[in-house]
């Protein structure tokens, strides 16, 4: 087992000033963190089986309160320990990692994780409110250009010249087709 910070949550329930009323979100994150640290410290076969799931929860709680570095530490440990059968949780872990890297401004690492996430479960981008840094292009006619313009307004796409590529083409029959390409030229989805 790796080392997770054993220090109490920086927003520990005991540290709030009497004049400042904590929000329910702050209390929830702190309770989750404090309980997760207790669970991680346990020993035994059951604790070993539960540890990756607790680490995932700890990472999510740390991210929720803005501790991106702490979140990445817990998530890295969870990634090593989560069983392969927990495919949905692996996707959630990737989404949380992408959010943490974005919060730290570490774009290159965020892109690597987003690419892996898109290959595993592209729907997580929407479910976790993530946005792909991309370039949007259109070819073949006005309908493709109009569709590209609509995609440009999507909260799931940051059309800022990023490493992902969204392509919309008008077919010879007037229909539309397209896809999303990854930073290394891989095809991540078609539509």
């Amino acid at each position: 087992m790796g080392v997770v910070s054993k220090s109490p949550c920086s927003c520990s329930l005991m540290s709030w000033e009497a004049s400042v009323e904590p929000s329910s979100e702050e209390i929830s994150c702190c309770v989750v963190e404090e309980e997760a640290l207790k669970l991680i410290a346990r020993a035994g076969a059951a604790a070993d089986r539960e540890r990756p799931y607790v680490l995932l929860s700890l990472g999510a709680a740390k991210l929720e309160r803005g501790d991106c570095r702490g979140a990445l530490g817990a998530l890295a440990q969870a990634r090593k320990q989560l069983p392969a059968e927990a495919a949905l949780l692996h996707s959630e872990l990737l989404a949380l990692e992408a959010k943490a890297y974005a919060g730290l401004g570490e774009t290159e690492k965020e892109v690597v994780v987003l690419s892996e996430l898109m290959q595993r479960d592209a729907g997580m981008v929407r479910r976790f409110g993530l946005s792909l840094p991309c370039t949007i292009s259109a070819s073949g006619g006005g309908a493709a250009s109009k569709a590209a313009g609509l995609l440009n307004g999507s909260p799931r796409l940051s059309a800022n010249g990023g490493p992902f590529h969204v392509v919309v083409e008008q077919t010879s029959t007037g229909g539309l087709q397209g896809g999303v390409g990854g930073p290394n030229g891989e095809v991540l989805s078609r539509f």
Side-chain angles (χ1 to χ4, degrees):
M1 175 179 81
V3 177
V4 174
S5 171
K6 300 218 185 306
S7 61
C9 175
S10 66
C11 58
S12 175
L13 298 176
M14 303 303 280
S15 68
W16 275 304
E17 296 177 23
S19 62
V20 179
E21 184 69 28
S23 71
S24 60
E25 291 84 14
E26 289 172 317
I27 293 171
S28 294
C29 288
C30 288
V31 169
V32 168
E33 278 190 53
E34 291 174 9
E35 290 302 313
L37 290 172
K38 289 177 192 174
L39 291 171
I40 289 167
R42 294 179 311 144
D48 291 343
R49 281 191 307 274
E50 295 167 358
R51 192 164 287 112
Y53 307 101
V54 176
L55 286 164
L56 181 63
S57 295
L58 178 62
K62 285 182 175 291
L63 184 60
E64 181 66 28
R65 71 172 178 80
D67 180 5
C68 296
R69 290 251 179 253
L72 287 169
L75 294 171
Q77 290 180 53
R79 185 191 269 253
K80 292 176 191 172
Q81 298 177 33
L82 270 174
E85 300 81 27
L88 180 62
L89 292 177
H90 278 281
S91 296
E92 289 182 9
L93 185 144
L94 290 170
L96 291 169
E97 283 182 339
K99 279 187 121 166
Y101 284 126
L104 292 170
E106 295 184 21
T107 307
E108 288 180 18
K109 291 179 180 177
E110 176 191 10
V111 166
V112 169
V113 173
L114 283 171
S115 183
E116 187 178 347
L117 179 60
M118 287 291 294
Q119 292 173 44
R120 185 181 281 273
D121 184 352
M124 282 292 176
V125 171
R126 177 185 44 79
R127 289 191 291 276
F128 274 76
L130 301 172
S131 183
L132 291 178
C134 68
T135 301
I136 300 174
S137 62
S139 65
S145 295
K146 184 174 181 176
L150 293 171
L151 287 171
N152 195 36
S154 170
R156 300 302 131 237
L157 303 172
S158 290
N160 57 4
F164 291 90
H165 307 281
V166 178
V167 178
V168 182
E169 300 171 340
Q170 190 164 340
T171 64
S172 60
T173 61
L176 295 174
Q177 64 184 15
V180 178
N184 299 313
E186 68 274 28
V187 176
L188 298 173
S189 70
R190 295 183 188 277
F191 53 88

